[in-house]
Amino acid sequence: MPTVPGHPEAIVHPTAAAPGFEVERVAPREALAEFVDYHWLVRWSVPQPHRQQVVPQPRVHVAAEDGQLLVHGISRSPFYRTLTGKGHVLGAAFHAGGFRPLLRGSVGAISGTVQPGRDLLAGDDRPVAERILTGTDSAEMIDAFERYLLRTDPVPDPTGREITALVGDAQRRRDIVRADQLAAHAGCSLRTLQRLFTEYVGIGPKWVIQRFRILDAAGVAHSGERIDWSALAYELGFSDQAHLTRVFTHVVGTPPATYQRTHGLL
């Protein structure tokens, strides 16, 4: 089966979010593939306001919403969005090292912020946002979005590719649980790795690794299987179950066992 891009496990309480929602993920055109991982299009039709939480990941998103394109830098805080009635949002999820060539500056400078595309990218974003938000055809909306992004004239960056690959390794390899391990894997000092992550990803390697391990824990919770949380905590590099519980609760809002039990996942 083909791999689904992104992190579906980042959607908190997926069983509650399912009714009335449609999520489409689309690969970018070749000219943007080095920078953009995938486009995501969320359509909804809900009879009552729905507050959806998504676990922030180590990637920048640019999304058409509220009549403009908004650049979402990486945030340490939980991400919520309240959806009402019927509508859609189109966004681009960038590779971990893929946004700097468009920004032409340190991605760390925009961490924790949400800023209009016209302030950071390729001029007035409102006409393309209007075209996207009033559109109905996915391909036409994505084409307009990509044309705007290409106006930044991004130049391929070998260091950005290396950082994207390193973040991918941190995601896939559960045996990487500390930043110094990732630095050794990269063949550089921890200080150098920290500097590169701030410049290209927007946040440090320790946060990135721990966030992937929390997403791993969420994915296990979503499986609906009975879990030995103590053994899983050890496997994911936490000092003990209490440590995993503290971090998971901070990120998701409830302890992992409670999260699985109270939301129909077990």
Side-chain angles (χ1 to χ4, degrees):
M1 292 180 63
T3 301
V4 177
H7 297 279
E9 64 273 20
I11 299 175
V12 177
H13 312 323
T15 54
F21 287 83
E22 177 185 340
V23 180
E24 184 179 358
R25 296 180 176 90
V26 180
R29 67 177 70 186
E30 185 176 355
L32 284 169
E34 178 169 329
F35 315 107
V36 175
D37 189 3
Y38 61 93
H39 297 293
W40 49 268
L41 177 61
V42 179
R43 303 179 191 271
W44 67 88
S45 179
V46 292
Q48 301 293 332
H50 176 83
R51 190 170 186 254
Q52 181 62 54
Q53 180 183 355
V54 178
V55 175
Q57 303 163 46
R59 60 170 80 242
V60 171
H61 290 263
V62 179
E65 48 187 326
D66 299 327
Q68 58 189 326
L69 294 183
L70 293 177
V71 178
H72 293 258
I74 293 176
S75 175
R76 296 178 182 271
S77 302
F79 178 84
Y80 299 92
R81 182 68 79 243
T82 299
L83 306 176
T84 59
K86 183 177 182 180
H88 66 268
V89 174
L90 173 65
F94 282 77
H95 290 297
F99 190 68
R100 190 186 183 283
L102 283 76
L103 184 64
R104 288 180 165 77
S106 173
V107 181
I110 65 168
S111 291
T113 71
V114 180
Q115 301 186 45
R118 57 187 173 277
D119 292 344
L120 299 177
L121 298 174
D124 192 357
D125 56 282
R126 286 166 293 193
V128 66
E130 181 180 5
R131 184 173 177 185
I132 291 169
L133 294 172
T134 59
T136 57
D137 183 84
S138 300
E140 291 179 0
M141 290 188 284
I142 291 171
D143 179 69
F145 192 15
E146 291 190 325
R147 288 179 184 275
Y148 177 87
L149 295 175
L150 286 169
R151 280 163 47 189
T152 65
D153 195 24
V155 177
D157 185 330
T159 302
R161 288 196 296 268
E162 292 175 5
I163 296 300
T164 294
L166 276 176
V167 171
D169 290 340
Q171 174 190 344
R172 289 184 295 271
R173 291 183 50 177
R174 286 189 176 182
D175 60 312
I176 296 178
V177 296
R178 301 193 313 274
D180 63 319
Q181 292 175 317
L182 187 60
H185 175 68
C188 66
S189 69
L190 178 57
R191 180 169 295 184
T192 295
L193 187 70
Q194 290 169 332
R195 176 180 59 80
L196 288 171
F197 267 57
T198 298
E199 181 75 14
Y200 280 86
V201 184
I203 204 162
K206 178 180 178 180
W207 186 95
V208 170
I209 294 168
Q210 189 177 81
R211 183 49 48 93
F212 282 137
R213 301 296 77 86
I214 289 297
L215 288 170
D216 287 339
V220 172
H222 293 165
S223 72
E225 300 175 358
R226 295 194 177 276
I227 301 162
D228 183 338
W229 291 105
S230 179
L232 183 66
Y234 177 79
E235 179 185 346
L236 297 180
F238 294 91
S239 56
D240 53 25
Q241 183 177 345
H243 184 200
L244 169 62
T245 297
R246 283 197 306 275
V247 178
F248 191 98
T249 301
H250 173 73
V251 173
V252 176
T254 59
T258 304
Y259 172 73
Q260 185 185 41
R261 183 174 61 254
T262 59
H263 295 282
L265 298 171
L266 182 62

